[in-house]
Amino acid sequence: SWVRDRAFPVRDASGAVVRIAGVASDITARKDAETALRESEARYRRLVDHSPDATMIVHEGRIIYANAALQRLLFAPSIDALIGRPVLDFVHPVERDAVAERMRQAQEYGTDFGLREARYLRSDGSTVDTEVSTAAVIDGGRPARQVILRDVSARKQAEAVLRDSMARYRSMVEASPEAIFINRGDRILYANPAALRLLGAERSEQIVGRAPLDIVHADDREGAAERIARMEAGQSVSGVYDQRFLRLDGVVVESEVTASLVVFDGLPGRQVVVRDVGARNAARAALADSEARYRMLVESSPDAIIIYDNDRLSYANPAAVRLFDARDATRLLGLTVYEMIHPRGIAAALARREFVVKTGQPTGLWEQIFLRLDGTPVEVEGSTIAVPGSNGQRRIVSFRDIG
């Protein structure tokens, strides 16, 4: 137990000490509290000394304590090199006035500014981005501020890289000739200029905010809804698929679509890239129609028409089948010029071949003796033209029996 006592003499009339009187009080509780406080302060100091966060205690604008993490953060040669220095010496000049004002308000009014960002200067003159938190403390009986700095330079650099990446992405999307939509849930969040043109819109407000299915053809909405549900569940939709869209004026746009999951404004979304294939499909249909008409004309032609691909017969129309007295066209396929022309005419036929291949021009009208499958000669007149083929040079020969 701890006791605090006071003793004083008791004197008689002559002033002689006749006895000693005293008062004793038990101060064990107070001493225990003081010991606990010292131990607590020691534990706190050890925690702060070894904290990974840079920590300092500031009194009247000067650093009166700094831990090792602060020394490392500011590239100081030692902790002692920080003690006694004005804290504003380490604040970036651009932010110095604002920090000084916050320090004044904190000291005079106890204002708590919460977590803030500030740039500090290191001993080598470089800058470090930090998050700063402060709290009022008592140090050595004096009012002070505890300041904790956390280095956020790496995070700031990553944010800058992300912003730069997003800016490049936005620039590419804005300039893309393909229509690009960003959707989330049942709303269109973004449509690039090509998407506005695709749908016949003049302003983004005419498209952004609408439900994606609103611009899809009614017959394609079920499939589109299924793909949206899969992507909203985090599943990818691979490959290219056909989908029809509706312009604002009701015109149908035939399209090829790819969709992928993206992050937009920090949240997940769906990027939909749309290519208008209406003109291409129309061209293909026109080509197919043209080819059908051409085949009909060739098939019904009274003149024999054969096609050579790389010097072997690859097609014969019905008139050619009849002229060569073949049962069907398959009996002729694969034959060479040497097997179909009378030996006396092979040289002339090869010369015509060289002419059309080199010049790309059709021959004039020529006369030639062909051999039927049974070897019977047949005198014909005809012309030859060369056209590009899928596997090399192609020659089209048309002729008629003049015997």
Side-chain angles (χ1 to χ4, degrees), residues 190-205:
Y190 168 79
N192 73 342
L196 300 184
R197 292 193 296 270
L198 179 82
L199 299 179
E202 297 180 354
R203 304 180 311 279
S204 62
E205 293 81 3

Side-chain angles (χ1 to χ4, degrees), residues 60 84 92 98 128 156 171 211 218 229 240 251 285 291 313 327 364-365 369:
E60 294 183 349
H92 193 283
V128 57
K156 299 283 283 186
S171 177
V240 179
V251 173
E291 289 177 344
L313 193 142
R327 186 171 64 248
L365 197 64
I369 297 175

Side-chain angles (χ1 to χ4, degrees), residues 294 306-311 351-364 366 383-389 392-398:
Y294 167 77
I306 59 177
I307 297 176
Y308 287 104
D309 279 306
N310 294 327
D311 294 329
R352 289 193 298 271
R353 172 188 177 280
E354 285 297 311
F355 172 79
V356 296
V357 168
K358 286 184 177 180
T359 67
Q361 299 297 316
T363 66
W366 44 256
S383 63
T384 306
I385 187 171
V387 296
Q393 197 65 43
R394 170 175 290 180
R395 303 191 315 280
I396 301 176
V397 184
S398 62

